[in-house]
Amino acid sequence: MRKSDLKGVIFLKLLWKNIIVFLALLLAMSPLTACRKTEGAEESTEVSTEAPSAEETADAIVLSDANGAYYTVVRPNKNTDLLAEWTQAVMEYPGAHQNRKLNLPWKSDGSEATGAEILLGFTNRPETREVMESIGYDDFAIVSKGDKIVVAAHREARMREAFIYLCEHLLKIETDENGKASFVYTGDYVFKSDRKFLFDSQNPLTGYSIVYRADSEIVRNAAMELQTKIKEACGIEISVKSDASPETACEIVLGSTNRAISQKHLQGSYSYLSFIINEGKTLLIGSPNDSITAQMAKDFSKNYVEARYSYTFNLEADITVMDTGFTFSESPVLAEGAEMRIMSFNILCELWDSKAVDVESRMQIVMATLLTYSPDVVGLQEVSDKCYQSLRPLFEGSYAFVDTKTERGYTNFSPLAYNTEKVTLLEHGVQTLASGNNVKLRVISWGYFERKSDGARFIVANTHWDLTAMPESRTKQAIEMGDFIVAMREKYKCPAITVGDYNTQDYQEQFQTYLDHSKLSDAGLTARVINRNYKSTHTLFEEQVPAPDIRAIDHVFYSEDIEALYYNMLIDKDILNASDHFPVYADIRFKK
């Protein structure tokens, strides 16, 4: 789970003149900008002061005049840099506009509530709580309640926007016909976001319970710790119960239980996977392994359950966070402008490497790689029966194989797999190469796909050519596969990609023969950005020494109606333990 913290705050030690400069800059800002937090990360967004979801009134209130201050600025006793910054900005707003005599006094909410107050943020006043409970998690409000003016939001980013809006639009120095000045609050404003969150006024956190498996002491303890954390942060004590109790709609379920959400996502899954995922009003946190579930509950508390600016915490309405248990060193983010990722990965059959016998452990790394880097389609090579046996339960719900048997009925050692959430398989097949030393390996596996996002159609083919010591056979395979892909493109009238272990480097005759016959290009040579392209094989479990003078034998080829924006050979310490090949992938988009 990735979490960034965009602070941009000015600390209490700033001199008064710097505060004035800062305010002047704020007042010059247009349009109002802010940050938005999604799955733990802050992202830039823009708030329009003309938003149709905004509500504004125009009842002016005099805060101070020549007779003195009528309002006191109140901040939480449990202070933050942001609240300290804006407490000073609001109380000294008149001074920033050359009317220091109109400045307001301030105090913390640890002091008794007396007289009229401007309540900034997470104060202990009942008016603050009332306003916060009336707005959504991504909203902010500046409203008057009796003799209180409440400035409230649930998140730091929205709180900052509320302060900026208050100073830009709702505070004003007015002068009457006699030249007497007064500091005025001009009216209320409420900003309402369209974003949806799990907890809201229709689905309050107070209605939830935390559920653990009845026979698991370690998960029960984790549930009690989570309950304590929520109470400390939000002042809300939700119940803890075992799965021996009746199932209800509003539950935070920890790990493996008899609840439907646990059964769906964790039953039959491998212990290295863990989830934060909701379905309807039910939230699942955890893994099939109790110890990992307990750690996940602690991580959830650390990363999500905080309430420095609010009486509650929240999650996106459709939160889906999956942790593979493996940490890869390279970013999995799709290249800018790309629409798809296509990968090739030779996963090493255990039949010809005595060190590769722990298939199950290696396939967990293979699957973690796929889940992390999320190719739309991947060509796998050397997929033995044992590999299929280990991968099938891991694939459930994420990926699906295409043709695990050849057209002659043998196990297909060179299958395609595709992300079932991203693409739909329309047609498919397997063709055994006429020249080849192994009918299980030397095939062309192909699929005709449709992208779910926009209906774009394309072909992907996967192969594994003969060994480098068999150049004549590979030349025949280059011709046969090249002609095959041209025929497929003529039939389906769409872009095409081919991947595989070609046992051929780019300087060799077979490589050029394939380019000539297929009319394709190699992403490892022509992508707009090439992160790494050299020797793609290594000894299992042993770190590869970079060899820039030796090119990859694993390739991603593409047709002229495709743009290859990024190419990478994924080298990582965990992948060293999975196979004797590194996966290669290309981020692409179709030309319009």
Side-chain angles (χ1 to χ4, degrees):
M1 291 173 281
R2 297 178 297 276
K3 189 173 184 180
S4 61
D5 185 14
L6 303 181
K7 293 185 177 178
V9 295
I10 299 178
F11 295 96
L12 281 170
K13 295 182 180 179
L14 283 177
L15 297 175
W16 161 239
K17 64 180 181 180
N18 290 335
I19 290 289
I20 293 176
V21 171
F22 178 68
L23 267 174
L25 289 173
L26 286 178
L27 293 172
M29 288 172 56
S30 181
L32 185 64
T33 58
C35 299
R36 183 179 68 183
K37 183 175 180 182
T38 303
E39 291 186 8
E42 296 276 356
E43 299 176 1
S44 177
T45 187
E46 187 172 289
V47 178
S48 170
T49 59
E50 302 300 326
S53 57
E55 298 175 0
E56 189 168 355
T57 64
D59 296 327
I61 298 173
V62 177
L63 306 176
S64 64
D65 58 23
N67 296 318
Y70 305 112
Y71 276 74
T72 300
V73 178
V74 179
R75 65 161 173 78
N77 191 45
K78 191 175 181 180
N79 200 22
T80 68
D81 292 327
L82 177 71
L83 291 165
E85 167 195 341
W86 285 95
T87 299
Q88 189 164 2
V90 173
M91 63 179 281
E92 298 184 349
Y93 179 98
H97 291 75
Q98 291 75 51
N99 253 300
R100 189 169 298 183
K101 291 181 179 181
L102 299 179
N103 283 358
L104 303 178
W106 76 273
K107 63 183 179 181
S108 76
D109 65 354
S111 303
E112 184 180 352
T114 55
E117 296 177 329
I118 301 175
L119 308 178
L120 302 184
F122 184 13
T123 76
N124 61 10
R125 305 296 198 247
E127 292 86 356
T128 294
R129 185 153 199 148
E130 180 184 350
V131 171
M132 286 181 129
E133 290 176 350
S134 72
I135 61 174
Y137 192 70
D138 200 40
D139 305 342
F140 69 78
I142 309 165
V143 296
S144 56
K145 291 283 182 181
D147 63 352
K148 312 297 182 195
I149 296 171
V150 182
V151 183
H154 295 281
R155 302 191 300 112
E156 180 178 11
R158 290 301 192 209
M159 185 65 74
R160 181 181 297 280
E161 292 171 14
F163 290 144
I164 292 173
Y165 194 94
L166 173 68
C167 287
E168 283 191 342
H169 299 282
L170 304 182
L171 297 182
K172 187 178 180 182
I173 305 296
E174 290 185 343
T175 304
D176 65 18
E177 63 275 11
N178 299 316
K180 294 182 179 180
S182 58
F183 182 25
V184 175
Y185 169 76
T186 62
D188 296 348
Y189 180 85
V190 177
F191 172 78
K192 296 182 178 180
S193 169
D194 292 331
R195 293 173 67 202
K196 303 299 181 184
F197 290 86
L198 182 56
F199 308 126
D200 56 27
S201 58
Q202 284 73 47
N203 186 44
L205 181 61
T206 51
Y208 273 74
S209 55
I210 303 172
V211 179
Y212 65 92
R213 195 175 71 255
D215 63 354
S216 177
E217 186 68 18
I218 185 173
V219 180
R220 178 184 178 278
N221 291 337
M224 299 298 291
E225 289 178 13
L226 180 58
Q227 178 196 46
T228 299
K229 177 66 174 178
I230 291 173
K231 184 174 181 180
E232 289 175 352
C234 307
I236 298 171
E237 184 168 0
I238 61 177
S239 65
V240 173
K241 63 185 183 181
S242 79
D243 64 351
S245 61
E247 185 168 357
T248 59
C250 300
E251 295 184 337
I252 300 173
V253 179
L254 298 187
S256 293
T257 68
N258 60 12
R259 300 317 202 219
I261 195 169
S262 293
Q263 298 294 308
K264 177 179 178 180
H265 294 283
L266 301 182
Q267 188 174 33
S269 182
Y270 278 75
S271 62
Y272 74 95
L273 287 175
S274 53
F275 298 88
I276 301 173
I277 190 169
N278 78 289
E279 293 185 351
K281 296 182 178 182
T282 304
L283 179 69
L284 171 66
I285 304 169
S287 160
N289 179 283
D290 285 355
S291 295
I292 295 177
T293 293
Q295 185 59 50
M296 281 289 294
K298 290 181 179 180
D299 291 343
F300 179 84
S301 294
K302 178 180 178 182
N303 292 320
Y304 292 94
V305 184
E306 66 153 40
R308 291 186 302 159
Y309 299 92
S310 174
Y311 290 101
T312 189
F313 74 97
N314 218 316
L315 306 166
E316 295 283 353
D318 56 352
I319 185 171
T320 301
V321 177
M322 179 169 56
D323 190 342
T324 66
F326 295 89
T327 302
F328 294 94
S329 58
E330 296 188 45
S331 171
V333 176
L334 199 67
E336 184 177 356
E339 300 168 331
M340 297 177 61
R341 174 169 291 161
I342 307 295
M343 178 180 285
S344 180
F345 196 177
N346 183 323
I347 63 175
L348 180 59
C349 174
E350 79 283 356
L351 299 176
W352 36 82
D353 189 329
S354 60
K355 295 187 294 184
V357 292
D358 188 358
V359 172
E360 184 172 308
S361 295
R362 292 193 302 107
M363 292 308 103
Q364 289 185 13
I365 301 173
V366 170
M367 192 63 203
T369 304
L370 298 184
L371 292 176
T372 300
Y373 289 90
S374 192
D376 295 68
V377 182
V378 57
L380 300 171
Q381 301 88 42
E382 301 191 17
V383 186
S384 67
D385 288 324
K386 281 191 175 181
C387 292
Y388 277 119
Q389 185 177 357
S390 293
L391 284 173
R392 277 195 177 100
L394 299 176
F395 268 32
E396 187 66 32
S398 300
Y399 282 86
F401 284 112
V402 181
D403 292 318
T404 58
K405 298 291 184 180
T406 71
E407 84 279 25
R408 300 180 186 182
Y410 298 106
T411 298
N412 181 3
F413 275 45
S414 304
L416 284 169
Y418 64 98
N419 188 316
T420 56
E421 296 181 353
K422 295 181 177 181
V423 297
T424 300
L425 180 65
L426 302 177
E427 296 182 37
H428 55 95
V430 184
Q431 177 174 307
T432 302
L433 290 163
S435 175
N437 66 351
N438 188 317
V439 292
K440 297 180 178 180
L441 285 170
R442 315 309 179 196
V443 300
I444 304 170
S445 296
W446 64 272
Y448 177 45
F449 298 96
E450 181 176 86
R451 192 163 57 196
K452 290 186 175 181
S453 62
D454 61 2
R457 296 186 175 189
F458 59 98
I459 299 164
V460 181
N462 179 42
T463 195
H464 191 175
W465 290 358
D466 273 328
L467 301 172
T468 55
M470 305 172 66
E472 292 183 2
S473 178
R474 283 187 293 114
T475 298
K476 294 178 182 178
Q477 291 168 351
I479 295 170
E480 182 179 353
M481 186 166 180
D483 293 344
F484 172 84
I485 204 67
V486 168
M488 294 295 283
R489 290 201 66 207
E490 179 62 28
K491 177 180 178 181
Y492 291 106
K493 310 293 185 185
C494 69
I497 308 104
T498 76
V499 299
D501 177 356
Y502 292 81
N503 276 314
T504 301
Q505 296 180 54
D506 57 29
Y507 68 87
Q508 293 176 304
E509 175 190 346
Q510 294 77 28
F511 182 89
Q512 189 58 52
T513 299
Y514 184 61
L515 294 185
D516 291 342
H517 280 261
S518 66
K519 311 303 181 186
L520 302 179
S521 299
D522 179 22
L525 299 179
T526 60
R528 182 179 299 178
V529 175
I530 300 170
N531 186 51
R532 188 184 294 112
N533 182 6
Y534 47 75
K535 185 180 179 183
S536 56
T537 58
H538 62 91
T539 301
L540 184 65
F541 307 132
E542 294 182 14
E543 188 170 354
Q544 183 213 43
V545 177
D549 57 329
I550 303 176
R551 293 288 202 176
I553 61 174
D554 303 272
H555 300 280
V556 179
F557 296 101
Y558 63 96
S559 55
E560 78 280 354
D561 42 10
I562 292 173
E563 291 181 82
L565 302 181
Y566 183 79
Y567 172 88
N568 189 30
M569 180 187 300
L570 188 59
I571 296 180
D572 195 276
K573 57 181 177 61
D574 284 319
I575 294 174
L576 290 169
N577 300 326
S579 177
D580 59 349
H581 282 244
F582 295 114
V584 298
Y585 64 83
D587 291 350
I588 65 172
R589 67 182 174 201
F590 299 144
K591 293 180 181 178
K592 305 302 181 185

